[in-house]
């Protein structure tokens, strides 16, 4: 049976060139980068090179990039440390209703400590309203965190404009750019953000390694205390092979960015057009204009997305209902809810995310399967276009 992977927003495979760079650092080049003898120095040099590669992906200086264990750690660090650091100035944080749980659950933990959090609404396209952001800022606002690209429906936020509002008021600005990395251009100088989170496994690097950009001059306190690694900003013996892999993945992502974006959006648009041509009552969730090039979040009206997902899985096709983290719960997606998508429609929504190894044949096969499965499920469904939702 054909195997089709359309869940690149959940994770990506490690590219062969990335793995090749990593392997020697598990075995012959195993030294601790803090050691003074040769294999230690060799490991240290490898980290320096990787830091430069990740920095280049986002237009940063290499000293502004700190390696962490994952995107979630970067998000937790940015919010928790910034909140505690700026507590004397105020207790108000602004974020959005559509953030990843690494941000939302950290905000909830901070609320338990007494911080107040404003969760901005989004339009049906999935974007924040800058006027609403402006109105939400008070004299007690200490931090604004807005994701650059949404993981469920791909909306790209006006980060430059939002960060400028924060800067004008002397407020720290963080962006979760985990989905943006390697999928849209990122230039921290243009954006003028203070902090930015990245993760390797969303850009064809290994899982369990992330990074945080911290603008020069922003004295964000450490989150993990211990040794003097990572310029004294993040303790723990460096995960050298994974850092090397992240660096290589970032280099490839940077060199191939425009080609990657062009190819993904072409395949994605083809897929959506085919699905809508062959299957009635399918809507795209979110707007098409400011969107991750590989994201197609589709609402199949009058059926349960879970059933569709399972039947696609029987046919060798891997997709998800939205965020990998909420796919085990039956709660309707907080992201699609914030867009104003009705609950019944959310239950029929699936995220197809296209990546570098996706081919047109994969998509044609997926469309064929969808046509058959959707027809079967709709025949069994108690609701339909004629009957309407009950
Ligand atoms: C995947 C993801 C994260 C978490 O990154 P991990 O490295 O898996 O911890 C955070 N934010 C967004 C938007 C993501 O897509």
């Amino acid at each position: 049976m054909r195997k089709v992977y359309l869940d690149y927003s959940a994770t990506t495979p490690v590219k062969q060139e990335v793995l090749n760079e990593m392997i020697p650092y598990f075995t012959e080049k195993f030294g601790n980068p803090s050691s003074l003898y040769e294999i230690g120095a060799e490991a240290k040099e490898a980290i320096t090179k990787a830091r430069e590669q990740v920095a280049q992906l986002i237009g940063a200086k290499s000293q502004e990039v700190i390696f962490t264990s994952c995107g979630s750690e970067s998000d937790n660090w940015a919010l928790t440390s910034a909140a505690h650091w700026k507590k004397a100035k105020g207790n108000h944080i602004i974020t959005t209703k559509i953030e990843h749980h690494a941000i939302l659950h950290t905000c909830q933990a901070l609320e338990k400590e007494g911080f107040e959090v404003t969760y901005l609404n989004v339009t049906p396209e999935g974007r924040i309203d800058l006027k609403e952001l402006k109105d939400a800022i008070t004299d007690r606002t200490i931090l604004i965190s807005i994701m650059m690209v949404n993981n469920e429906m791909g909306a790209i936020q006006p980060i430059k404009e939002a960060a400028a509002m924060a800067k004008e008021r002397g407020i720290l600005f963080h962006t979760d750019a985990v989905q943006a990395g390697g999928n849209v251009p990122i230039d921290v100088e243009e954006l003028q953000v203070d902090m930015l989170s990245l993760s390797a496994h969303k850009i064809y690097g290994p899982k369990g390694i992330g990074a945080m950009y911290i603008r020069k001059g922003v004295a964000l306190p450490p989150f993990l205390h211990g040794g003097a690694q990572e310029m004294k900003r993040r303790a723990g013996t460096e995960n050298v092979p994974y850092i090397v892999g992240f660096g290589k993945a970032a280099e490839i992502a940077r060199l191939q960015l425009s080609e990657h974006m062009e190819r993904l959006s072409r395949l994605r648009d083809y897929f959506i057009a085919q699905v809508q041509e062959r299957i009635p009552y399918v809507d795209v969730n979110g707007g098409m204009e400011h969107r991750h090039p590989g994201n197609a979040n589709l609402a199949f009206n009058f059926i349960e997305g879970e059933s569709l997902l399972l039947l696609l899985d029987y046919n060798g096709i891997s997709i998800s209902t939205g965020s990998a983290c909420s796919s085990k719960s039956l709660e309707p997606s907080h992201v699609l809810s914030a867009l104003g998508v009705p609950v019944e429609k959310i239950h029929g929504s699936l995220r197809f995310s296209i990546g570098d190894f996706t081919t047109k044949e994969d998509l044609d096969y997926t469309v064929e399967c969808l046509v058959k499965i959707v027809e079967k499920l709709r025949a069994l469904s108690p609701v339909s276009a004629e009957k309407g939702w009950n």
Side-chain angles (χ1 to χ4, degrees), residues 16 24 74 83-84 104 106 110 128 148 151 153 168 187 190 192 254 309 356 369:
Q16 189 63 50
S74 300
H84 293 166
L104 291 178
T106 305
L110 289 167
I128 59 161
M148 187 176 268
N151 47 304
M153 42 66 65
E168 196 186 303
D187 180 346
E190 193 199 326
Q192 285 293 310
R254 177 174 60 85
L309 185 149
D356 283 354
C369 291

Side-chain angles (χ1 to χ4, degrees), residues 103-269:
I103 295 289
L104 291 178
H105 291 169
T106 305
C107 284
Q108 285 166 15
L110 289 167
E111 282 175 311
K112 290 205 183 93
E113 288 181 36
F115 288 92
E116 280 169 24
V117 183
T118 299
Y119 299 90
L120 299 174
N121 294 302
V122 292
T123 63
E125 281 69 44
R127 298 189 97 209
I128 59 161
D129 174 356
L130 289 164
K131 168 124 194 346
E132 188 188 342
L133 169 61
K134 191 169 189 173
D135 293 343
I137 296 173
T138 74
D139 291 339
R140 298 189 57 75
T141 308
I142 51 174
L143 171 67
I144 299 174
S145 180
I146 297 174
M147 74 197 316
M148 187 176 268
V149 176
N150 183 265
N151 47 304
E152 287 192 37
M153 42 66 65
I156 303 173
Q157 302 298 337
I159 296 300
K160 183 180 169 185
E161 292 77 5
M165 280 180 192
K167 204 172 193 103
E168 196 186 303
R169 302 284 298 261
I171 298 164
L172 284 170
F173 191 94
H174 166 258
T175 186
D176 174 343
V178 172
Q179 289 290 334
N183 287 309
V184 298
I186 305 176
D187 180 346
V188 291
E189 282 313 308
E190 193 199 326
L191 297 173
Q192 285 293 310
V193 297
D194 297 307
M195 298 168 279
L196 177 148
S197 306
L198 289 172
S199 178
H201 77 100
K202 305 282 173 78
I203 64 164
Y204 308 91
K207 295 165 187 57
I209 188 81
M212 176 100 119
Y213 158 81
I214 307 174
R215 173 171 296 283
K216 188 165 182 279
V218 175
L220 184 75
F223 188 53
L224 267 197
H225 300 277
Q229 293 91 352
E230 294 297 288
M231 301 162 279
K232 299 191 180 150
R233 305 191 88 164
R234 199 272 186 187
T237 301
E238 300 88 336
N239 190 345
V240 183
Y242 281 52
I243 289 173
V244 167
F246 192 2
K248 185 66 186 175
E251 181 185 81
I252 297 171
R254 177 174 60 85
L255 296 174
Q256 299 182 349
L257 183 64
S258 51
E259 188 191 324
H260 164 94
M261 288 173 67
E262 200 271 325
R263 184 171 177 277
L264 259 55
S265 59
R266 188 157 33 83
L267 285 172
R268 189 263 321 269
D269 295 348

Side-chain angles (χ1 to χ4, degrees), residues 216-349:
K216 188 165 182 279
V218 175
L220 184 75
F223 188 53
L224 267 197
H225 300 277
Q229 293 91 352
E230 294 297 288
M231 301 162 279
K232 299 191 180 150
R233 305 191 88 164
R234 199 272 186 187
T237 301
E238 300 88 336
N239 190 345
V240 183
Y242 281 52
I243 289 173
V244 167
F246 192 2
K248 185 66 186 175
E251 181 185 81
I252 297 171
R254 177 174 60 85
L255 296 174
Q256 299 182 349
L257 183 64
S258 51
E259 188 191 324
H260 164 94
M261 288 173 67
E262 200 271 325
R263 184 171 177 277
L264 259 55
S265 59
R266 188 157 33 83
L267 285 172
R268 189 263 321 269
D269 295 348
Y270 168 77
F271 175 68
I272 295 176
Q274 284 294 306
V275 170
Q276 290 191 318
E277 193 181 304
R278 305 273 309 272
I279 308 173
Y281 309 110
V282 179
D283 300 310
V284 180
N285 292 316
M288 290 308 294
E289 194 184 346
H290 303 280
R291 192 176 187 117
H292 180 304
N295 177 286
N297 190 310
L298 304 178
F300 293 85
N301 290 290
F302 317 117
I303 52 174
E304 283 291 329
E306 301 274 324
S307 320
L308 182 49
L309 185 149
L310 289 175
L311 292 170
L312 285 170
D313 184 27
Y314 286 139
N315 286 278
I317 301 168
S318 308
I319 48 146
S320 86
T321 50
S323 112
C325 323
S326 56
S327 57
K328 285 194 204 78
S329 74
L330 286 171
E331 289 282 296
S333 149
H334 68 282
V335 174
L336 298 182
S337 300
L339 260 64
V341 180
V343 175
E344 319 83 68
K345 216 166 159 157
I346 295 177
H347 283 305
S349 293

Side-chain angles (χ1 to χ4, degrees), residues 42-103:
E42 207 169 51
K44 194 173 173 162
E45 259 169 52
I47 294 175
T48 303
K49 179 178 168 196
R51 200 185 306 286
E52 183 60 39
Q53 288 167 319
V54 174
Q56 279 188 11
L57 177 66
I58 59 171
K61 300 178 198 69
S62 78
Q63 322 86 274
E64 295 174 316
V65 172
I66 314 294
F67 290 108
T68 62
S69 69
C70 55
S72 299
E73 183 190 322
S74 300
D75 285 347
N76 274 259
W77 179 15
L79 268 58
T80 307
S81 292
H84 293 166
W85 177 33
K86 297 290 176 185
K87 203 160 60 181
K89 187 188 159 207
N91 69 340
H92 183 230
I93 297 165
I94 301 174
T95 185
T96 78
K97 288 187 176 163
I98 63 165
E99 297 295 314
H100 189 272
H101 283 139
I103 295 289

